[in-house]
């Protein structure tokens, strides 16, 4: 097991990464406020891991209620959130009950948001079971649901009390989801960690083959970067925005094609290529840098072009992004490979050109 | 104009109370993050005060968008909240736009919750236009919507940047709403301010006649108590709970009869009588104290008995309250008049007896 800490004063919390951690009650129980929990999961993960986690906790004298919602980004909305609230109220969850989010990014985001809002805030723990959630979304306290007009538009900052990433759960992860998670892993290399990018270029096939040591290393290094950035800028007033490389383009793709059609990681990969293209347009990176990034995404089996929504639709959707300020699109771009910056210097024509250069053959 | 401050370190904010403040741009503009606002109000208040506030702000160079939702507690739910989000997204509100809640408690609670969640948090300002909102709900950062199984169950702590209580707006307040607000005013006397309780006993008719000086005094003294308690215990881990005298019983009434049938203040008055009755059962206050409190509520035209929902229904609804801990009902009771405490010593039989003793003749 490897461990890290997200340093946020009195709200600091550990991240544990390793194999078989769902069986380790001693990792989880000390972080419960009281000895009762509500496990929020989905109908895919529940048959795989709910019983195991419940067994671990109940053997340690902890009461477990559970609530399984449908699986998929298309359910990350008010309607499903209300199903969680209905379950909480009908089972009389108190504000001292601990919510445990057992699942991927959607479960973590929505379970975390439910915990943020229920009785104005209850404690919660992240138990991510996808690569994407283990390397990114379970860490840092961003919670949200989607709105038809924009992804993650309604949410809260609500830090978990603990993150437990059991790498055994990746054994049942569909290949497509594993590849989606790699998009966020590659992101950490691109924004500020060239040695990690090089390590990924050397070890990508080990990751795709689910080599346990390689996966643990990738998760650990990703979480280390994320923990450091979150500790420095919890509320995203500055450098935390860099973690959104490819995300403004990517969110437009996810919203534009309809939630649940593209995986978040797939949209981030295509979006990152658009950001790279735009960075090249601005003369910040070279064509060979763009090709290098593209090669890595292609090896990971990720898309490097976006769907043909129409350029105007892209721009319109991007204008709903949370990073828009005074009507200006602020984008995360690459000053160089391994050095991301937030910038609003690109003109709308340049942005449109970068998108146009990265659309799938229609 | 009288002013107060809620002291919360970097999130401290002023409360201004006085006549004609909606015309004072210089009070509001310095608290905007940028020069654009979204005014959330309801269809009753909009024709009365929206134009005036918009005019004040626009003359100071501030852009104003607005969104008017239906009026009433029965609309304090997800559906209406989503109407606000739709308006925000379709008008491209940014996370630096300031939301201004112009209206009573429902608008403040729901506008505040919308501001807490939109893009994970935007600034907001409270402009309360009812007595209840001016003395209580606009101060302290509690925001929420109702759930069919429990009042204010879904919400957030999100402090405003400013509270502006224009006492002129009380001139158009229906009598019933004025009386409802007095329930919360009387509450402050009961929980810890005997001199204020005596002042109310001497000046109640002036308040009912809308004497401007008397109203300003009552609002100021109420806000002073609230500001002090919130500064000491923002997240209600201790003494802030005292502000909920009568509220656990009252929320059961509001939920039980259906939101919008009883005003919040009416339910608080009847609920406070139940709490007083229970305090007498425990031998903490005398029958003459109960009679004294009842007399004041009756003079204010407020109910002193609750609807006949059935005792079991009351208990069941109260068990959903946020103050339940380890399954035990924790209630705010009167150790003496002017000295409220949180206690779980009352047995369920004693609670049932106090409710039974305070039901309307059926």
């Amino acid at each position: 097991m490897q461990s890290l800490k997200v340093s946020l004063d009195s709200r600091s919390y550990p991240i544990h990464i390793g194999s078989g951690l769902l069986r380790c009650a001693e990792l989880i129980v000390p972080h419960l406020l009281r000895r009762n929990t509500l496990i929020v999961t989905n109908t895919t993960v529940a048959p795989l891991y709910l019983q195991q986690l419940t067994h671990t906790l109940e053997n340690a004298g902890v009461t477990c209620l559970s609530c399984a919602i449908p699986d998929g980004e298309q359910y990350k909305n008010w309607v499903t959130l209300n199903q969680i609230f209905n379950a909480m109220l009908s089972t009389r969850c108190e504000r001292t009950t601990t919510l445990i989010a057992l699942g991927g990014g959607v479960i973590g985001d929505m379970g975390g948001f439910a915990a943020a809002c229920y009785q104005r805030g209850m404690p919660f723990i992240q138990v991510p079971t996808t690569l994407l959630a283990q390397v990114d979304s379970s860490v840092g306290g961003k919670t949200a649901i989607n709105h038809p007009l924009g992804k993650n538009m309604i949410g809260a900052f609500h830090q978990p009390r603990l993150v437990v990433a059991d790498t055994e759960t990746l054994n049942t992860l569909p290949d497509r989801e594993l590849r989606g998670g790699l998009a966020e892993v590659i992101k950490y290399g691109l924004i500020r960690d060239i040695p990690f990018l090089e390590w990924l270029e050397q070890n990508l096939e080990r990751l795709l083959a689910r080599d346990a040591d390689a996966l643990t290393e990738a998760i650990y290094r990703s979480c280390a970067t994320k923990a450091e950035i979150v500790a420095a800028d919890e509320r995203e007033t500055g450098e935390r925005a860099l973690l959104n490389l490819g995300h403004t383009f990517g969110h437009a793709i996810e919203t534009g094609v309809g939630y649940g059609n593209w995986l978040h990681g797939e949209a981030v990969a295509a979006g990152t290529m658009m950001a790279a293209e735009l960075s090249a347009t601005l003369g910040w990176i070279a064509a060979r840098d763009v090709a290098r990034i593209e090669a890595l995404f292609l090896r990971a089996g990720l898309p490097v072009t976006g769907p043909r929504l129409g350029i105007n639709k892209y721009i319109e959707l991007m204008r709903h992004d949370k990073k828009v300020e005074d009507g200006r699109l602020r984008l995360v771009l690459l000053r160089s490979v391994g050095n991301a910056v937030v910038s609003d210097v690109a003109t709308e024509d340049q942005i449109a050109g970068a998108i146009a250069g990265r659309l799938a053959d229609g």
Side-chain angles (χ1 to χ4, degrees), chain A:
Chain A
M1 183 177 86
Q2 299 210 48
S3 297
L4 286 155
K5 185 174 147 190
V6 182
S7 295
L8 292 163
D9 298 324
S10 65
R11 292 171 300 112
S12 297
Y13 55 91
I15 305 170
H16 300 304
I17 304 155
S19 181
L21 302 191
L22 285 186
R23 292 187 291 275
C24 300
E26 70 279 11
L27 286 183
I28 302 174
V29 175
H31 296 273
L32 304 176
L33 196 56
R34 299 278 163 91
R35 291 193 162 251
N36 49 29
T37 62
L38 173 75
I39 303 172
V40 173
T41 187
N42 68 35
T43 50
T44 305
V45 174
L48 296 168
Y49 301 110
L50 179 58
Q51 199 183 357
Q52 191 178 341
L53 180 59
T54 303
H55 187 257
T56 300
L57 291 170
E58 287 183 343
N59 274 0
V62 173
T63 307
C64 297
L65 298 167
S66 70
C67 164
I69 59 178
D71 182 15
E73 188 79 36
Q74 64 272 39
Y75 299 104
K76 191 173 143 181
N77 56 31
W78 280 140
V79 176
T80 318
L81 188 68
N82 257 321
Q83 290 177 19
I84 302 176
F85 290 137
N86 291 343
M88 291 165 118
L89 277 157
S90 59
T91 59
R92 301 197 183 288
C93 281
E94 299 176 4
R95 62 183 170 191
T96 54
T97 303
T98 301
L99 188 151
I100 300 180
L102 173 71
V106 171
I107 288 296
D109 281 10
M110 200 156 35
F113 188 43
C117 298
Y118 185 69
Q119 300 202 8
R120 299 196 186 95
M122 66 194 289
F124 92 111
I125 286 174
Q126 291 273 21
V127 183
T129 60
T130 66
L131 182 61
L132 185 128
Q134 292 185 352
V135 299
D136 189 43
S137 60
S138 69
V139 175
K142 277 193 181 177
T143 73
I145 57 171
N146 299 325
H147 183 281
L149 291 177
K151 194 165 147 79
N152 292 339
M153 274 293 150
I154 315 298
F157 287 96
H158 188 54
Q159 297 292 345
R161 297 164 70 91
L162 167 71
V163 180
V164 176
D166 184 342
T167 51
E168 264 185 30
T169 61
L170 301 182
N171 294 334
T172 51
L173 192 67
D175 257 327
R176 186 180 166 197
E177 298 255 3
L178 184 78
R179 292 168 191 277
L182 288 173
E184 297 280 14
V185 174
I186 292 167
K187 173 191 80 178
Y188 292 108
L190 292 175
I191 62 173
R192 64 169 218 179
D193 194 348
I194 296 257
F196 185 43
L197 187 68
E198 289 167 352
W199 183 89
L200 288 170
E201 288 173 326
Q202 285 149 22
N203 292 279
L204 197 74
E205 279 66 32
R206 285 177 67 206
L207 293 170
L208 289 169
R210 303 181 194 227
D211 175 297
D213 290 342
L215 283 170
T216 301
E217 176 72 7
I219 297 164
Y220 180 83
R221 289 178 75 161
S222 298
C223 286
T225 296
K226 179 123 188 200
E228 201 177 306
I229 290 179
V230 168
D233 177 24
E234 183 183 8
R235 292 276 174 152
E236 195 168 310
T237 55
E239 75 170 305
R240 181 164 181 171
L242 302 181
L243 294 170
N244 297 314
L245 176 66
H247 282 60
T248 298
F249 295 100
H251 287 170
I253 293 172
E254 290 185 81
T255 308
V257 298
Y259 300 124
N261 289 305
W262 279 54
L263 290 181
H264 176 63
E266 293 167 345
V268 166
T272 298
M273 289 315 303
M274 291 174 181
E277 200 73 46
L278 184 53
S279 306
T281 304
L282 294 168
W284 292 355
I285 64 174
R288 70 173 177 282
D289 295 321
V290 179
R292 176 185 179 185
I293 300 167
E294 181 176 39
L296 190 56
F297 282 135
L298 285 173
R299 279 170 65 197
L302 286 162
V304 292
T305 55
R308 302 188 83 84
L309 305 172
I311 305 289
N312 289 342
K313 183 74 179 169
Y314 268 95
I315 302 279
E316 183 200 324
L317 287 165
M318 289 167 70
R319 288 208 166 278
H320 282 299
D321 192 75
K322 291 185 286 295
K323 281 171 292 304
V324 171
E325 217 171 278
D326 290 335
R328 281 191 77 84
L329 269 171
R330 298 165 71 242
L331 295 168
V332 184
L333 300 174
L334 294 171
R335 204 73 188 77
S336 63
V337 174
N339 180 19
V341 294
V342 177
S343 169
D344 65 356
V345 301
T347 64
E348 198 160 306
D349 279 354
Q350 289 172 320
I351 296 169
I355 296 168
R358 281 288 159 184
L359 292 185
D361 293 334

